[in-house]
Amino acid sequence: MSPSVRLQEMIRVIRGARTQGEERGVIQRECAAIRAQFRQADNGTRSHNLAKLLYVHMLGYPAHFGQMECVRLIASPRYNEKRVGYLGAMMLLDEKQDASLLITNSIKNDLSHSSQYVQSLALCTLGCMGSAEMCRDLAPEIDRLLRASNSYIKKKAALCAVHIVRKVPELGELFTPASRSLLSEKNHGVLHGAVVLITELCERNPETLEQFRKAVPELVQIMKGLVMSGYSPEHNVAGISDPFLQVRILRLLRILGRNNETASDAVNDLLAQVATNTDSSKTAGSAVLYETVLTVMDIKSESGLRVLAVNILGRFLLNNDRNIRYISMTSLQKIVQTDHNAVQRHRGTIVDCLKDQDASVKRRALELSLALVSAVNIRSLMKELLLFLSSCPPELRAHTTSGIFNAAERYAPSQRWHIDTILHVLTTAGGDVRDETVPNLIQLITTATELHCYTVHKLYRALIADISVQSLVQVACWCIGEYGDLLLRGECEETEPVQVAEDDVLDALETVLQSHMSSPATRGFALTATMKLSTRITHNVDRIRSIVSIYGSCIDVELQQRAVEYNALFKKYDHMRAAVLERMPVIDKSSPGHTNGESAGGSIKEMEPTKRTQEVVLPQEPANQVCDLLDLLGGSGEPPQPSPALSTTMLGPVSSTAGGDLLDLLGGLDVTPVPPSVIVYEKNGVTLKLQTDRQTDTGMTITLTATNSTDREITSLTLQAAVPKSVQLQMKAPSGDVIPAHGLGQVTQTVLLNNPNKVSLKMRVRVCYTSQDFVCQDTVQIDSFPSPAW
Amino acid sequence: MLRFLLLFSRQGKLRLQKWFTPVTEREKKKVIREMTLMVLARPPRSCNFLHWRDLKIVYKRYASLYFCCGLEDQDNELLTLEVLHRYVELLDKYFGNVCELDIIFNFEKAYFILDEFLMGGEILETSKTAVGIAMEEAETLQEVTPPPPPPPLTHTHGHLSLTHLPKYVNMFSVLFTDNGGVYE
């Protein structure tokens, strides 16, 4: 075994290692030697070995095998061994380790040691890593030491008591009497410790807080003494006498004066004095002033004092030192709600700080600027914010954009300005905006009816310039689809109109569709916009038809489904196309809390699940569906009233895709013809109709509707169905089992068929009911199903 | 209260760590890594304050060492700058024109000085002289064991001649020009 080297020698050797591997080798050898030494009897080098181990630990290597050695060294009678042992305990042990309990006894003994330096070691260690049990054990000792005559011990005991109170708050009561008497000490160290202890006690216990309010005059006296005292070489820092103690006292006065008139009054004078007399040319003075300002703003101070405080912060804002500017903005942020006008006066300086090089200062300036936005300054402030956005660091961009949007929403002086601002943000930082921006912007555009022409021209220009920013492209596509006719008309009052041909517009949309930069959602937007244009342009409908049919075999399922359905719209439902693709009415701004929740009425409940799935698939076309379904149920010819629940359904799940263009559309649309339904059973006045809601290659959803034209109601209606073997059948709960008489109501039941093997679908339905006290039971066979509603 | 105090070199090597709350080893390593990354990435003339998780971070560079500490919400950042400066002054008084090498080779002394100045995350002693006096008296208590022979080519408690190891600049002399801040 190599003889152990001295600590400094070892450090030199480790530092001399040229590679990480070499270092590891040296350290492994040393640790082995140390471990061996630990196992041996006491040979006078134990403290050196532990010190070596602590160095190795600091480099990041494991050192847990030294824990027991720490315990042993702490118990040693030699001071230097105790010292290193306690240091090791603070570095290697914490309250989670079991070994920490073993030193409790040693600490207890050392707290009563004759030498104050041994006592201080124990106090320091207890105050650093004492666990709750250790604290409980030793608290009476600490209390005793608080009353000792030795200042050196008293100050350490005070901070040790602080640690105990933090770990075991109930023990606070134990220390309250002693801490009160410590306030009359002259020694600054003890005084400081006492103030910290009292602060901790008051923060945790409101009754103690009440008690210590009586100490406010005493504290004011101490503070005055510090401020007015002459030069003291021991405590002087840059012309301030003991700034550490001053700041602590101010903090305690803040806690005592909060929400209390009397205490606040007592300190008003003092605060004014400190605020005016403190020299803030160096950091120490600024620290004291800063604490003073915080105290003034937090207690019930008189208004003159508050104004003084805000002015001090304003002065700080103009300081050359970045730290002080940062501090002042942090404080202004805290008071901007309560003293808004006072802070507004410094708006100019704050906005200038947006241009500072330092990232921390920029961040603070941004937060403060956003808090200062008001209806009065919105235009000028927004200019600055937009300028900031173009050059701001990437980590701040998301925050900036959402802040700008909030501000614009609350204080926009005009709709055009609002739209312009949002477009500006999207062009500059479109990648960092939140998802709701797209639907919000679309909703905003639809409400600004006079600006449709202007908006679509602007967006078209933006689109042909750059298609990489997804949010902007989505909004642009939506607008072009919706207002394409305004674009093609080529005239606009508000802005220079773009002279485009239909081909150009379709080119632009196709570029978006084909670009690899476009996200799937964006391509969905583009496809739907292309489709919408088929009713707004005159010449190139064939081109649109071909685009749509190409995407019918797209790999993306969403796009494929859309394309297939649009294709069907061209082929089979061409007569409906114009109505389906009509201009959207104005969208209501509804809160995001309403999603597909409540159904508007019992009879629609059945329709909800199928309708909802349809909505998610075809966000652009729901008007038609909803209209049809309601038509079926209502049985009347006029457009049904939009129900609020229905109208708010869509914002939730489809926000990232269609965004906002759903709800409340039933107003202006034509009533489209009822989808075909087949009567499968008619007997005894009971009619059973079958309607196909959805049909795919591997399944379908049908709805069976039973009506009653007799004079008396039909009761106990049950429907049962049977299907070929490979087909799976699921019958949803019926809406009821009683059919009112005279056709005044009906019972519906949805049936889901899953046909994975694609056999020809047949279904046998058994109808059971009680009519005029007769129980009837019939079976019908259904061989062919009507084509789906859409 | 302070949550932690770290000293690390410009290469990110840790020279001193003091934790004022119980933290697991794993968490300690994580914090050290993040602090090192954050602070070393800061450009020279920037603000000394940062925000990290729910703590305020105050850092100051003295020659080749970064002093970095984490504060709670209530603490005064400007005062903490003074705390860091006071600690450097104490080290300087004890070691005599302290530099990074002193702290490397005598790390346990640096800890002892720190323990006389701060405890439990709070300032223990505000007097400039009291800490030095306490350290001297404690040294006399140490039993007389033969001091280790001064290793060649490094220095003991004396002043380090700048010609020997030019990269370890005296920390204190740089105080007057560091970071644009002006001290006494």
Side-chain angles (χ1 to χ4, degrees), chain A residues 629-751:
Chain A
L629 299 172
L630 288 183
D631 242 356
L632 255 190
L633 306 174
S636 56
E638 28 347 304
Q641 296 307 309
S643 56
L646 285 178
S647 63
T648 56
T649 354
M650 268 73 90
L651 264 183
V654 287
S655 56
S656 58
T657 53
D661 39 39
L662 326 159
L663 4 162
D664 201 16
L665 346 107
L666 308 172
L669 289 169
D670 295 334
V671 175
T672 49
V674 174
S677 68
V678 170
I679 297 176
V680 295
Y681 169 79
E682 198 164 22
K683 199 173 157 189
N684 297 339
V686 177
T687 315
L688 188 65
K689 288 201 197 103
L690 185 146
Q691 175 200 330
T692 311
D693 297 323
R694 264 186 80 172
Q695 186 163 20
T696 65
D697 279 51
T698 56
M700 61 198 305
T701 310
I702 60 174
T703 304
L704 296 165
T705 312
T707 48
N708 169 16
S709 57
T710 64
D711 294 315
R712 289 173 62 177
E713 58 181 22
I714 305 285
T715 54
S716 320
L717 175 75
T718 49
L719 299 169
Q720 292 165 302
V723 285
K725 273 221 174 71
S726 59
V727 180
Q728 287 140 21
L729 172 74
Q730 185 185 3
M731 295 189 82
K732 300 274 184 189
S735 63
D737 66 348
V738 174
I739 320 177
H742 300 298
L744 289 172
Q746 60 197 23
V747 168
T748 54
Q749 187 160 14
T750 309
V751 181

Side-chain angles (χ1 to χ4, degrees), chain B residues 59 97 158:
Chain B
Y59 75 93
N97 285 327

Side-chain angles (χ1 to χ4, degrees), chain B residues 60-92:
Chain B
K60 189 108 172 70
R61 186 178 145 232
Y62 288 91
S64 55
L65 269 185
Y66 283 90
F67 288 65
C68 168
C69 54
L71 307 177
E72 288 181 346
D73 202 43
Q74 292 292 318
D75 295 319
N76 186 325
E77 296 99 309
L78 291 173
L79 196 72
T80 313
L81 279 178
E82 286 300 314
V83 168
L84 293 177
H85 189 75
R86 174 60 70 87
Y87 183 46
V88 174
E89 283 180 342
L90 292 172
L91 289 171
D92 189 67

Side-chain angles (χ1 to χ4, degrees), chain A residues 6-9 11-12 15 23 44 48 51-52 54-55 57-61 77-80 83-84 87 90-92 94-97 115-118 120-121 123-124 127-128 152 155-157 159-160 162-163 166-167 187-190 192-193 196 200 203 231 233-238 242-245 247-248 251 254 258 282-284 286-288 290-291 294 316 321-324 326-327 330 334 358-361 363-364, chain B residues 1 13-25 28-29 42-43 45-51 56 59-60 72-83 85-86 89 100-101 103-109 111-113 115-131 133-135 137-139 141-143 145-157 167-168 179-184:
Chain A
R6 300 287 182 189
L7 169 64
Q8 296 195 340
E9 182 62 31
I11 296 178
R12 218 164 42 88
R15 284 167 58 78
E23 182 184 289
H48 290 301
K52 279 194 273 186
L54 293 178
Y55 181 79
H57 171 74
M58 187 148 65
L59 291 178
Y61 295 89
R78 298 202 203 113
Y79 178 71
N80 58 333
R83 216 180 184 195
V84 180
L87 179 64
M90 283 192 275
M91 284 178 75
L92 299 179
D94 60 35
E95 56 184 42
K96 299 196 179 79
Q97 316 285 353
S115 161
Q116 67 177 12
Y117 293 101
V118 175
S120 92
L121 286 178
L123 281 168
C124 187
C128 173
Y152 182 74
K155 76 181 184 207
K156 299 211 173 196
L159 286 187
C160 195
V162 170
H163 175 85
R166 283 185 185 141
K167 277 270 177 263
N187 180 305
H188 281 224
V190 180
H192 187 277
V196 176
E200 197 67 34
E203 274 176 344
Y231 178 79
E234 212 182 332
H235 298 290
N236 180 69
V237 181
D242 208 342
F244 305 109
L245 184 57
V247 164
R248 251 5 259 248
R251 206 164 128 180
R254 184 155 90 228
R258 206 178 272 158
K282 303 280 169 62
T283 314
S286 305
V288 175
Y290 174 45
E291 199 71 30
L294 288 180
F316 276 177
D321 188 345
R322 275 211 175 95
N323 295 333
I324 300 201
Y326 180 93
I327 290 297
T330 319
K334 289 191 191 135
D358 186 279
S360 311
V361 172
R363 182 189 290 272
R364 288 268 148 252
Chain B
M1 65 178 266
K13 297 209 110 160
L14 192 66
R15 300 299 178 207
L16 190 143
Q17 54 174 326
K18 187 78 185 177
W19 303 88
F20 297 107
T21 50
V23 181
T24 59
E25 282 297 328
K28 279 184 198 172
K29 286 198 163 67
R42 298 279 280 179
R45 298 205 150 264
S46 33
C47 179
N48 291 98
F49 308 134
L50 293 170
H51 219 87
K56 305 195 260 202
Y59 75 93
K60 189 108 172 70
E72 288 181 346
D73 202 43
Q74 292 292 318
D75 295 319
N76 186 325
E77 296 99 309
L78 291 173
L79 196 72
T80 313
L81 279 178
E82 286 300 314
V83 168
H85 189 75
R86 174 60 70 87
E89 283 180 342
E100 191 183 344
L101 267 185
I103 301 185
I104 295 171
F105 280 94
N106 300 286
F107 68 94
E108 76 277 14
K109 299 285 190 328
Y111 275 104
F112 296 148
I113 295 172
D115 288 334
E116 289 291 328
F117 176 47
L118 300 175
M119 190 206 276
E122 306 283 355
I123 301 168
L124 177 56
E125 179 56 69
T126 59
S127 154
K128 291 189 214 178
T129 50
V131 173
I133 294 170
M135 283 299 289
E137 298 197 4
E139 308 273 287
L141 266 193
Q142 305 242 131
E143 285 177 337
T145 44
L153 288 185
T154 56
H155 77 124
T156 52
H157 287 332
K167 45 178 179 135
Y168 293 104
N179 257 0
V182 181
Y183 296 89
E184 293 140 283

